Amino acid sequence: MSNIEIQKSSGGLGADVHGVDLSKPLEAHLLSAIKAAWAEHLVLRLPGTRLSDDQLMAFSQNLGPLDMRPVGKAEQKSVPGNHYVTIISNVLENGRPIGGLGNLDAQWHTDMSYKPSPAVASILHAWELPDQGGDTYFCNMYAALEGLPSALRARIEGLQLKHDAGHNSVGGLRRGFEEAVNAKAAQGAIHPLIRTHPVTHRQCLYLGRRQDAYIVGLELGESEALLDEIWAAATYPDYCWQQTWRPHDTVMWDNRCTMHRRDGFPNDQQRIMRRTQIGGDKVN
Ligand code: SIN
């Protein structure tokens, strides 16, 4: 029987997992140890060898049913015949991007929060990395809620947030969308600002992304001011952890209780990542 080792990060969330070979079917005791560590640490980093898309999908399915990849920009290519693996990359082939996000900074966000049943988890695997930049940062949204000043927390209790579906995390317009006149008019799903995690039963802040977000029922200016106040208190460095990628790292995160963002990197270097996500869960 293989042994697993879990080592907590020095940040506000995250842990390293050693002793698991993701290219093979997982023994039941390893899977339950991974799930327990994931509920405790919210983001797990697993080192290993390069996984094929089939291996990445097989590992991901241990966490739940695969979710279809999100809609990207019109010119973006993807894996032919595969609806579940998203490529995140700045590489061009015949002048067309092979994946999304290019080499840009990606703003804090939670994957798919603009859907009625957002993806519960994302799994990101590194194929090729630049020499500098491209780090990914994670934020613990339980800590973000617990750290809010009590008056601010009381003000947002029971409020609902509309999550913009029109833009991706680098501010690009998704296929099929036009710029909204303002955040109140933007399209996207509505979820509670404070949610309860269905596994841990703990409450956390659920912000999605800042661009074109709108707190339902408020005047636009009031919503903008309140969102600015919440965001300013939500991403303190103490709540966060920085992932500096090593080749073939796999990082899995819980979208229900974390946000993430990414640093840009020089465009003359290649970064190729493969991502899967696990199907949706209603937000309560
Ligand atoms: C993402 O936002 O899902 C991409 C993160 C990354 O490229 O590191």
Side-chain angles (χ1 to χ4, degrees), residues 88-89 100-102 104 106-107 109 111 122 124 134-138 169 243 245 253 260-263 265 271 273 275:
I88 296 177
S89 183
L101 308 186
L104 301 173
Q107 302 305 311
H109 66 284
D111 292 330
S122 302
L124 188 61
D135 285 4
T136 309
Y137 301 74
F138 295 91
S169 56
Q243 152 68 344
W245 291 89
W253 62 86
H260 57 283
R261 72 170 184 84
R262 180 193 84 185
D263 280 343
F265 54 95
R271 187 176 188 268
M273 315 291 280
R275 195 184 81 193

Side-chain angles (χ1 to χ4, degrees), residues 112-259:
M112 316 301 291
S113 71
Y114 50 89
K115 295 277 188 194
S117 295
V120 301
S122 302
I123 301 105
L124 188 61
H125 178 65
W127 273 19
E128 203 171 320
L129 296 167
D131 293 339
Q132 46 175 302
D135 285 4
T136 309
Y137 301 74
F138 295 91
C139 182
N140 180 336
M141 301 308 283
Y142 296 121
L145 179 66
E146 283 155 18
L148 284 187
S150 48
L152 181 55
R153 177 169 177 156
R155 261 168 76 203
I156 67 169
E157 203 75 55
L159 292 181
Q160 305 269 318
L161 182 69
K162 179 153 60 70
H163 295 238
D164 170 44
H167 299 90
N168 65 15
S169 56
V170 296
L173 206 54
R174 290 184 201 279
R175 198 180 309 155
F177 284 87
E178 288 177 8
E179 290 294 347
V181 282
N182 59 40
K184 202 169 174 175
Q187 293 176 48
I190 294 172
H191 302 298
L193 251 175
I194 298 175
R195 69 178 293 179
T196 304
H197 193 290
V199 175
T200 64
H201 306 293
R202 293 175 64 196
Q203 285 193 310
C204 59
L205 204 50
Y206 192 59
L207 290 182
R209 65 197 69 208
R210 179 64 187 89
Q211 185 169 10
D212 277 359
Y214 167 69
I215 301 179
V216 178
L218 300 192
E219 291 302 325
L220 184 59
E222 213 186 332
S223 164
E224 291 291 315
L226 186 50
L227 283 172
D228 285 345
E229 208 178 324
I230 300 166
W231 274 92
T235 56
Y236 283 132
D238 283 359
Y239 309 155
C240 299
W241 173 65
Q242 177 176 354
Q243 152 68 344
T244 300
W245 291 89
R246 301 157 307 188
H248 312 139
D249 270 353
T250 300
V251 173
M252 51 188 269
W253 62 86
D254 188 331
N255 281 310
R256 297 165 291 193
C257 53
T258 66
M259 294 197 297

